[in-house]
Structure formats: structure tokens, C-alpha cells
Amino acid sequence: MSAAKSLLIELGTEELPPKALDELSAAFLRGICDGLAKRGIDAGLDLAQAYASPRRLAAYIPAVAATQPPQALERRGPALNAALDAEGRPSKALFGFAQSCGVSVEQLEKLETDKGGWFVWRTVKPGQPVAALLPEIIDEALKTLPIPRPMRWADHDYSFVRPAHWLVILHGADIVDGSVLGLHSGRKSRGHRFMHPQPVHLADADGWLDAMRACNVLADPRERRQRIRNQVDLAAAVTGGVPRFDEALLDELANLTEWPVAIACTFEREFLGVPPEALVTTMVANQKFVPVFDIDGRLTEHFIGIANIESKDPAEIRKGYERVIRPRFADAKFFWDEDLKTPLASYQEQLKNVTYQQALGSLWDKSVRVAELARVVANRVGVDAAMATRAASLSKCDLLTRMVGEFPELQGVMGRYYASHDGETAAVAEALDSYYQPRFGGDAIAADRLGQVLAVAERLDTLAGIFAVSMKPGGNKDPFALRRAALGLARTLIEGGLELDLRASFIEALELLPDAALAAGLKPGKDGKPPALNAGQRRAILTDELYDFVLDRLRGYYAEQGFDNAQFEAVLAVQPVSLADFDGRLRAVAEFSRCPEAVSLAAANKRVANILRKHADEPGAPPIGRTIDPTRFEADAERELADALASARHDSAAALAAGDYTAALARLSQLQTAVDAFFDSVLVNADDPMVRANRLALLGQLKAQFGAIADIALL
């Protein structure tokens, strides 16, 4: 076998979608590697690299053998009982199988398995040259790319994400002959569309990256990102400001350019009178510009554009960038000035004309429900109820403003500005913005208490309403973002430390819904009639569904923090009414799990649960928590366990009352010695029914004491 050589595959296209480019690039390399591995071809796959730019997808693998190794083939024929007759002579089926394999019956082998025996034909097929397999591998890789809307071009029968124009397949210095998407492979690539439009001759696979760089194409996305970072920092330093852009914008800029060049630009200072969020939104979302702030975090009149060309006259590019942003800023200023002429509260009446959901009414109806929930929640957590009601009544008004109509992502943000302008209290204005938090994964919850109250009320109504009309998520579909709403509700309650009865809160939210909403969610049965449920029964069913839905969102939330699923299930088993309380219990259980006594006590609790379950159906079986009769004790171990349990119950009572579950479990962990001694020397299933009942009562109290925190048996 000849020595392994580097493999380069480059597919040149029209400009690829920037937001999908990273995923396409990774999937292309993965498809090539999988194709090689499936065929048993030796390749340095650990060192394989995906490269991409707006006009190309490329895969580079540093060591690929020239020939596929010999392939062992096995073809299974008829079963033994069908292949031989009663006298052991070959049947027609066996002769036919041998003939189809091109061999005699004597050349076949037998295969014995636990499911029976078969005749098989085994052979070794010489490996094919890798060059002969690569076109097929590439074609397979392209077909697996995540392309939601492939397109056709010219009169071809094939399709791809964008029209393809050139194909390079080099194995070392050799051209691999083949065709993909109607393109015949060669060693001619293409450089930058404007700075180096002529074809680029490639000597070998290893020289491709440098050859691209020499013709003004940075084919490595990592190199482009770093170049953009460096150039933006330099351009911003000249202005005396600090650039601000996140990884998403950086990735998009890198995927829009092959030779990025930063251009420092400015706009008229009069636009700085517009809320900075509006200016930043149009700069980043619409134009992919990088805003520049001063050292105190205030937006400046400077911004940075990223050109895809190193121009001889960068001033012209700067003028173009400044010219294109000016009308957008002028629109934002117009929207701002016009919106300020109308008090935010005056939009309340107009909310009646905007439908939220047919059975749930208008945005006005939703605002009224949220206001009532906010009042109730505020009273329970010690927040000014009047302020909560006021904030809730204004919370949807900015949706009708011109600015939010143009920039929907500014909802809440603009509500804060307009409320402040109208003289609303700072707390109310802040809550109109913060109650949207968390807006995305990893975002913080509202920092202000009033915002937390409004966030909880808003999400309670949303979840209750959409569940009531039977539009809860299914599969990947979640048009009302209920999973995000449920996690946002849970995080706000937990991280905000809000002690609320979650089930009771959902019941209150459901009671505020119109009867039409509860009726709309009742689906007809097999007889074509909706189930005969009264409103109370319907709410009870929905409350259980909502509680389970929210708790299910917490599995991933806690898993990301390192909590074990068994710990989660142990707490879930006792169905805490408050999520803040759930959190306290879970953290205590996790701490308990690290104690040396945990394993023994968990096993003991499981044993206790099994014993109690076994005797639960016996006549006169004691309920958990039944009073123990000390005169029925016959062994020292049961007396000692009863005394230890009574002492632990007394000592941990204050901790349990205060919600200090860590301290309570730490005290209960001291029961290990007494519990182990009990099971070592005491027979629970005593012949005397009164003694047996007394021992079961003792175990019931032990289980109840641990069960006051979590079901330790599940650990």
C-alpha cells in the first residue's frame, strides 16, 4: 500500500448563507470523514479540518491512504434445516445460493448462532483505489447537509444550497478524477471575487490554505474572526472608544467576508438623542455594523463597518456606510419623536382591538388578567400591589408604538423609555423592560422585585391560557414559546427566592380565564361530544399538567448545574408546593448525598418503603405516622431506633420549620447506626401482630421523617 497523503476537497459556490455557513461546513467535513470511515479507509480523521468562506466549502484531511484495505465480505444463505434434506443432501435452495455466489456447495461455510445455523459464503474483496471512491463519498456528504430549501440552477436536475461553480479534489499533488453537481474536478480554485478574480493554480493539497491567502481569501473562519477582532479594536482605538459586538455578530461578519477590512465611520450626533438600543439594533441587525461606546458605556457617534475588500480609497467605502445608515437613523428618530407625543397609557384602549388569541380575547383582556395576578403575587411577596397593577396595565402598551412596530425586539425596552418620559415611577418603568427577562438561554432574570412579580404574573397567564385552549407544545412545535415561558417562570421563582404555591397560582390564573377558553380546549371524544367536565374538574386537570410541564423544564436546568437525576427525582416525589422550596430541598439532598451515611440510609429507606408497601394491604395495617407503643418493644435495637428518631425529630424540627433542609438532613444522617442495628437484629414481620404493627409504625415514622424533605429511597 502506498504512503498516505493529504486530501483536499473544495467546492466553490455562489455566496452561501452566512448564518448557516458554520453548520454547513462542519456537516460537510463530518460527511466526508464518515464516508471514509465506513469504507475502512485509513485517514488522520482526528486532524481533519473544516474550512469555509462565503464562496466555498472545503475539507482537509492530512493523511489518507491511497487504497482501501481488502474488504471481508460475508453473504448469508439458507438456514441449515432448509439447506439439507432429511438425508443431509444439499437442497435446491442451497445449490441456488452457491450458484449465485459463483462457487460450489463445498466452498460454503456454516455459521452457528444462538438463533440457529446458516450456510454462508465468505470472501475477501480487494480494496478499491480511494480516488475511485471519493466522488461517491462527496456526493453522500452533500446529500446529508442541513439544507432546508435547496435550489436548482440552469437546466440541471441536481440541487444545492447555492449554484456550484468549481470543484477541486487533490490527493497530495494528484488530481482525483470525478464529477459532483455537474462539475469535473481539477486543480483550479478561485481567489477573491474582486481582488483576485483570476483562477488559482494549486500545486498540492498541503499548499491550498497558503495559496488562498495569497489570493486574498482567508479560508479559515478562525483566522477571519481573529482578523476582524484585531482590526475592529484598532479602528475603535483611533476614535477613542470601545467596540461592542457579541459572538453571533462576529460569526456573521466572518461568514460574510473572505478578506475582512474594518472601516471606522461616524454619524450625526443629533441621532444620539434616540434611545441607544434603537440605534444599536439597526446598526447590528440591519447593517452588521459594530457600535462604539465610550469608556463610561455611552453610545458614541462612531461605528465600524467590515468591508470585504481592501480598497485603494477606503474613504469612499466609509461614505457609503455612513450614507446607508443615515435614513435608518432618521426613521428611528422620527418614530421616537412621534411616539413621545402620545402618553404610553393612552394605548390601553387600543389594546382592545388587538387579538391575543381567539378564545382568550384581546391584549387588553390579557393585560387585565396579568394585572390581577400581579396584584395577588405582589401581596404575597411583599411588593407594592398598586405599583404591580400599574406596571401590568402598561406592560403591553409599547407594542402599539411606532418604534416597536419597526423594531419588535425593542418591546419592553421602549416601554421603559416611554414610561420614564411620562413621569411613571422609576420602579414601574424598569419593570416594563425587566419582566421580559430571561429573554434567551443564559440571560439573567429580572433584577428588580417588581419586574420579577410582573414576569411571574405574565408567564402564569400565558401558560394557563394556552394550555386551557389545548395549544400546548408538541414535538418541535412551540408557537407560543411555552417551554421558554415555563423555564423563565421557574427561574424567576427560584433565583428570585419567591415563595409561591405553584399549583395555587395556576389555579388562580385559570380562574381568571373566560369560560370560552376552558370550553375551547375540550376535545370531542369518540362519540363526538366533549367530555362532561365541570369548570373545577377542568382546572384541576390543567393544574396538574401545568405543574408537571414546569417541573419537567427544570430537569435540564438542574442537570446543567451538576445535579444528579436521582436527586431531582427524590425531591420531585414529595411534590413541593414552592419552587424556591424545591430548590432548597434539592441542594440539601445533593449535600446529603455526599455524606458517608447517605448510601446506607438511602438503601434503608428503600427497604422501609418496600416493607410498608408489602404490608399496606394487611387488615389493620398502621398508617404512616401512627403513635408507637414503647411497651411493645422486644429488642434493644428497636428501642434505640425509637429514641434516636424521637431525638432527631426534636432536633430537626426548627430547621424544617425554617426551611433549612441541609441542617435537618445532617441531623437525620446521624440515625444511620441505629437504623443499621435495627435491620441487623430485628425481624419486622414478627409473629405477634401487635409487635409487628408497632414495628411497622416505627418504620413508618422513620420514612415520614425523611419524606418530609425528599424520598431518600430514590437515591
Side-chain angles (χ1 to χ4, degrees):
M1 183 180 297
S2 58
K5 295 180 290 187
S6 299
L7 172 67
L8 169 74
I9 302 166
E10 180 192 23
L11 178 65
T13 68
E14 293 290 336
E15 275 70 11
L16 295 162
K19 291 185 178 180
L21 185 56
D22 291 337
E23 186 179 7
L24 288 170
S25 175
F28 182 57
L29 176 66
R30 187 166 56 249
I32 298 298
C33 291
D34 289 347
L36 291 170
K38 183 172 71 175
R39 292 163 176 81
I41 298 170
D42 293 331
L45 301 182
D46 292 342
L47 300 176
Q49 290 286 342
Y51 295 107
S53 76
R55 294 206 301 154
R56 70 202 73 228
L57 291 174
Y60 172 80
I61 304 173
V64 178
T67 306
Q68 180 188 34
Q71 303 293 293
L73 301 179
E74 180 178 286
R75 183 179 170 190
R76 185 177 296 190
L80 295 181
N81 57 5
L84 302 173
D85 62 18
E87 298 179 0
R89 290 175 300 197
S91 65
K92 290 183 178 179
L94 185 59
F95 276 119
F97 173 67
Q99 186 176 8
S100 69
C101 296
V103 296
S104 65
V105 169
E106 290 74 17
Q107 291 176 279
L108 299 176
E109 301 178 33
K110 293 181 181 179
L111 173 66
E112 296 286 350
T113 72
D114 55 357
K115 295 183 179 180
W118 284 268
F119 275 97
V120 298
W121 175 59
R122 295 189 177 100
T123 188
V124 176
K125 179 182 177 182
Q128 299 183 62
V130 169
L133 299 172
L134 277 172
E136 181 183 35
I137 291 173
I138 297 171
D139 189 58
E140 290 176 0
L142 293 177
K143 289 178 179 177
T144 63
L145 294 186
I147 304 173
R149 294 184 181 87
M151 62 182 296
R152 297 180 183 274
W153 62 98
D155 57 352
H156 304 307
D157 292 332
Y158 38 79
S159 61
F160 193 53
V161 61
R162 292 290 186 270
H165 293 307
W166 75 89
L167 175 67
V168 175
I169 312 176
L170 294 178
H171 193 200
D174 300 326
I175 297 174
V176 175
D177 190 47
S179 294
V180 175
L181 297 178
L183 302 170
H184 196 73
S185 61
R187 64 170 73 249
K188 297 290 186 183
S189 181
R190 299 186 190 178
H192 192 282
R193 185 184 290 276
F194 305 111
M195 300 174 68
H196 198 291
Q198 58 269 35
V200 179
H201 178 86
L202 300 174
D204 55 33
D206 290 330
W208 174 78
L209 199 59
D210 288 336
M212 290 294 97
R213 195 178 292 112
C215 60
N216 303 102
V217 173
L218 298 180
D220 188 343
R222 295 167 290 272
E223 187 176 357
R224 292 199 303 278
R225 290 187 185 97
Q226 190 57 51
R227 177 182 169 94
I228 291 171
R229 282 187 186 278
N230 295 342
Q231 292 216 352
V232 166
D233 286 341
L234 289 173
V238 173
T239 71
V242 179
R244 184 183 298 176
F245 59 121
D246 57 22
E247 291 299 318
L249 177 58
L250 178 60
D251 289 343
E252 196 166 357
L253 288 170
N255 292 340
L256 283 167
T257 57
E258 290 190 322
W259 193 259
V261 177
I263 307 290
C265 311
T266 60
F267 57 83
E268 290 79 358
R269 290 184 61 84
E270 65 181 87
F271 291 126
L272 292 176
V274 178
E277 291 88 347
L279 302 181
V280 170
T281 295
T282 192
M283 274 192 277
V284 173
N286 300 123
Q287 301 300 327
K288 315 306 175 190
F289 293 151
V290 180
V292 177
F293 292 74
D294 64 20
I295 57 174
D296 295 321
R298 294 185 297 265
L299 183 66
T300 71
E301 69 274 23
H302 303 289
F303 67 95
I304 298 169
I306 304 298
N308 186 30
I309 189 172
E310 196 161 327
S311 174
K312 296 178 180 179
D313 190 2
E316 286 300 314
I317 296 180
R318 184 183 68 250
K319 290 177 184 177
Y321 287 161
E322 293 172 350
R323 185 168 54 249
V324 77
I325 206 171
R326 192 171 293 116
R328 289 193 171 272
F329 279 7
D331 287 345
K333 187 175 187 305
F334 171 77
F335 298 144
W336 169 246
D337 292 340
E338 289 298 305
D339 286 340
L340 290 181
K341 297 176 183 178
T342 306
L344 189 64
S346 66
Y347 289 105
Q348 288 177 308
E349 192 67 22
Q350 297 179 42
L351 292 173
K352 295 179 180 179
N353 301 321
V354 182
T355 300
Y356 169 60
Q357 198 278 333
Q358 186 175 4
L360 296 172
S362 65
L363 284 180
W364 163 263
D365 297 318
K366 179 172 177 61
S367 295
V368 171
R369 295 193 300 268
V370 172
E372 176 58 20
L373 287 171
R375 182 189 67 80
V376 172
V377 172
N379 282 325
R380 287 180 180 156
V381 301
V383 171
D384 188 307
M387 292 177 62
T389 303
R390 179 61 175 172
S393 67
L394 296 174
S395 62
K396 301 298 179 188
C397 290
D398 69 334
L399 298 180
L400 302 183
T401 62
R402 291 174 174 84
M403 186 72 85
V404 175
E406 180 69 16
F407 303 111
E409 56 268 51
L410 294 180
Q411 55 188 288
V413 174
M414 297 313 302
R416 168 166 53 85
Y417 279 106
Y418 296 140
S420 296
H421 176 268
D422 295 344
E424 299 289 344
T425 65
V428 168
E430 181 62 29
L432 297 185
D433 183 6
S434 64
Y435 90 92
Y436 281 96
Q437 294 176 261
R439 286 182 168 89
F440 50 85
D443 191 20
I445 66 167
D448 57 305
R449 207 60 161 175
L450 184 57
Q452 293 172 7
V453 167
L454 190 54
V456 168
E458 167 69 22
R459 288 163 175 81
L460 284 172
D461 177 75
T462 297
L463 289 163
I466 303 303
F467 264 65
V469 298
S470 293
M471 296 180 69
K472 56 188 177 183
N476 294 327
K477 296 182 179 179
D478 189 6
F480 287 90
L482 296 190
R483 294 186 180 96
R484 187 174 65 190
L487 183 57
L489 170 63
R491 284 188 56 200
T492 302
L493 292 172
I494 293 168
E495 297 171 25
L498 301 178
E499 288 288 352
L500 285 179
D501 185 326
L502 185 59
R503 289 182 184 274
S505 297
F506 274 129
I507 290 174
E508 290 163 346
L510 289 164
E511 287 176 343
L512 292 172
L513 297 177
D515 293 339
L518 292 173
L522 292 174
K523 296 182 178 180
K526 293 182 179 179
D527 58 358
K529 299 179 181 179
L533 296 174
N534 60 41
Q537 293 170 323
R538 176 88 170 117
R539 291 190 189 99
I541 293 172
L542 287 171
T543 298
D544 289 340
E545 291 180 356
L546 287 161
Y547 181 89
D548 292 341
F549 183 74
V550 172
L551 266 293
D552 202 44
R553 306 280 76 73
L554 288 179
R555 293 182 186 278
Y557 171 73
Y558 281 118
E560 290 177 358
Q561 298 180 49
F563 289 94
D564 187 89
N565 186 60
Q567 298 166 359
F568 183 89
E569 292 292 342
V571 177
L572 181 62
V574 300
Q575 299 278 289
V577 296
S578 157
L579 294 190
D581 184 63
F582 187 105
D583 185 75
R585 291 170 186 264
L586 181 59
R587 295 183 186 280
V589 168
E591 184 70 24
F592 170 76
S593 298
R594 291 189 282 270
C595 297
E597 302 89 356
V599 174
S600 177
L601 283 171
N605 270 272
K606 185 173 183 178
R607 186 174 180 182
V608 168
N610 291 335
I611 291 172
L612 294 175
R613 190 181 305 111
K614 179 180 178 182
H615 291 278
D617 297 330
E618 289 185 357
I624 292 178
R626 172 184 166 179
T627 302
I628 300 169
D629 183 359
T631 65
R632 298 287 181 184
F633 290 148
E634 295 182 347
D636 291 340
E638 54 187 325
R639 295 188 189 91
E640 291 168 1
L641 177 58
D643 291 342
L645 180 59
S647 176
R649 184 188 300 115
H650 176 271
D651 294 345
S652 61
L656 281 173
D660 189 353
Y661 301 116
T662 300
L665 277 175
R667 177 64 183 87
L668 292 176
S669 68
Q670 297 173 21
L671 292 172
Q672 180 203 353
T673 302
V675 171
D676 290 347
F678 177 87
F679 281 115
D680 287 343
S681 57
V682 176
L683 178 64
V684 177
N685 195 21
D687 293 334
D688 186 332
M690 299 304 291
V691 172
R692 180 169 67 250
N694 200 52
R695 290 173 179 173
L696 289 171
L698 175 60
L699 294 182
Q701 289 196 10
L702 176 67
K703 184 176 186 299
Q705 194 62 33
F706 277 97
I709 301 171
D711 189 349
I712 301 301
L714 296 178
L715 297 178

